[in-house]
Amino acid sequence: MSGLAVRDLRVVFDGFVAVGGVDLDVPAGDVRFVIGPNGAGKTTLIDAITGLVKATGSVTFDGHQLLGRKVHRIARLGVGRTFQTAAVFEELTVLQNLDIAAGWRRSPLSLLRARKRVPEPVAAALSTVGLSAVRDEPAGTLAHGQKQWLEIGMLLVQDAKLLLLDEPVAGMSQAERDATGELLGRLAADRTVLVIEHDMDFLRRFARTVTVMHAGKVLSEGTVAEVQADPRVQEVYLGHGVA
Ligand SMILES: Nc1ncnc2c1ncn2[C@@H]1O[C@H](COP(=O)(O)OP(=O)(O)O)[C@@H](O)[C@H]1O
Ligand SMILES: [Mg+2]
């Protein structure tokens, strides 16, 4: 019951089947990687879970049906996602971004003032994502990796229990990738994490379980070693230089 359960999920764009009947179980506490070639339907899967695109089938998180609910209702049920391009307010500080995400209705003026006391959930999020030292810096001055971590921090202050991360390490340096891999482990301590990622080296190091998507369907599932040894996976990735 607890965790994410996807049943016969379908998303059709103008007759084109982007997700064609996906079943997926991500138990609480898992770090599930979803891989697959470009166009496999990975982002659309997350879009459907978070209510951004229309879908049929069933998606439950901790027993609550998500399909058919509005985006903000799904977020309130503890489902948070990041985008392939980080969406943070560049002119505001790290702390102000977290404040806004937390939804405390502070006046614009008070938001712009430096804060003396940082509320506990915000301090905890800063520490988890490793941004405590730069909390008063404008988000626009952060390194690429730090922006992704800030986005994750914004989900943490919203108390997201299911984190859906769309290619969080794309464009990151090796050091940022390592830090992100370790962050995933910390996140999963009391949450469920689904990560879309291509990088096989990153997968080998940090994935617990892997789901391989291809052409809108689940092609293979298992440990990294199991999916890498699957001839169907090797066939799909042949010539793509990924597996
Ligand atoms: N809004 C949309 N309208 C029409 N086609 C779309 C839309 N979004 C995605 N697609 C198509 O659906 C397929 C899956 O896309 P996507 O989920 O972004 O793949 P992935 O994230 O695995 O690379 C692609 O062929 C893409 O072109
Ligand atoms: Mg994508």
Side-chain angles (χ1 to χ4, degrees):
M1 216 43 181
S2 97
L4 176 70
V6 175
R7 293 289 174 274
D8 196 25
L9 188 73
R10 287 171 196 275
V11 179
V12 182
F13 295 117
D14 245 354
F16 175 79
V17 180
V19 175
V22 162
D23 292 331
L24 181 68
D25 282 291
V26 187
D30 198 2
V31 179
R32 170 70 51 88
F33 278 64
V34 176
I35 67 169
N38 264 336
K42 306 180 298 294
T43 296
T44 306
L45 169 70
I46 289 187
D47 288 346
I49 295 170
T50 52
L52 284 182
V53 298
K54 267 209 172 130
T56 60
S58 165
V59 177
T60 61
F61 178 61
D62 285 351
H64 297 282
Q65 179 62 238
L66 305 184
L67 283 200
R69 289 189 198 251
K70 294 222 179 341
V71 172
H72 68 276
R73 296 277 304 127
I74 293 171
R76 243 178 260 156
L77 286 169
V79 179
R81 62 94 55 88
T82 62
F83 291 86
Q84 284 179 252
T85 312
V88 299
F89 297 103
E90 305 257 328
E91 319 76 47
L92 301 183
T93 67
V94 167
L95 203 47
Q96 288 165 340
N97 270 278
L98 291 171
D99 268 353
I100 288 173
W104 292 316
R105 298 179 202 285
R106 305 177 64 211
S107 72
L109 200 68
S110 77
L111 267 176
L112 291 171
R113 271 191 227 119
R115 310 195 51 166
K116 294 204 177 65
R117 272 184 40 248
V118 179
E120 215 295 305
V122 172
L126 277 170
S127 154
T128 301
V129 301
L131 293 178
S132 304
V134 294
R135 65 175 218 197
D136 296 319
E137 305 292 329
T141 65
L142 297 180
H144 171 75
Q146 291 176 313
K147 280 186 196 168
Q148 284 286 345
W149 302 334
L150 175 55
E151 257 208 308
I152 293 170
M154 291 163 79
L155 301 179
L156 298 185
V157 296
Q158 289 166 4
D159 206 23
K161 295 295 185 200
L162 172 63
L163 302 176
L164 307 163
L165 310 178
D166 199 351
E167 302 199 25
V169 302
M172 280 191 184
S173 69
Q174 191 57 51
E176 289 174 329
R177 282 165 184 260
D178 293 348
T180 304
E182 283 152 24
L183 171 58
L184 295 178
R186 289 199 295 281
L187 295 175
D190 49 3
R191 295 176 195 85
T192 306
V193 183
L194 186 155
V195 190
I196 294 176
E197 190 42 59
H198 292 285
D199 185 276
M200 289 307 285
D201 183 51
F202 188 76
L203 240 80
R204 274 185 221 105
R205 293 183 54 199
F206 298 110
R208 295 184 194 167
T209 52
V210 183
T211 298
V212 186
M213 282 186 71
H214 173 58
K217 292 192 170 301
V218 172
L219 183 72
S220 183
E221 205 162 71
T223 64
V224 179
E226 283 165 356
V227 300
Q228 273 193 301
D230 186 335
R232 289 169 304 174
V233 175
Q234 291 168 1
E235 193 178 321
V236 161
Y237 273 116
L238 219 65
H240 290 265
V242 178

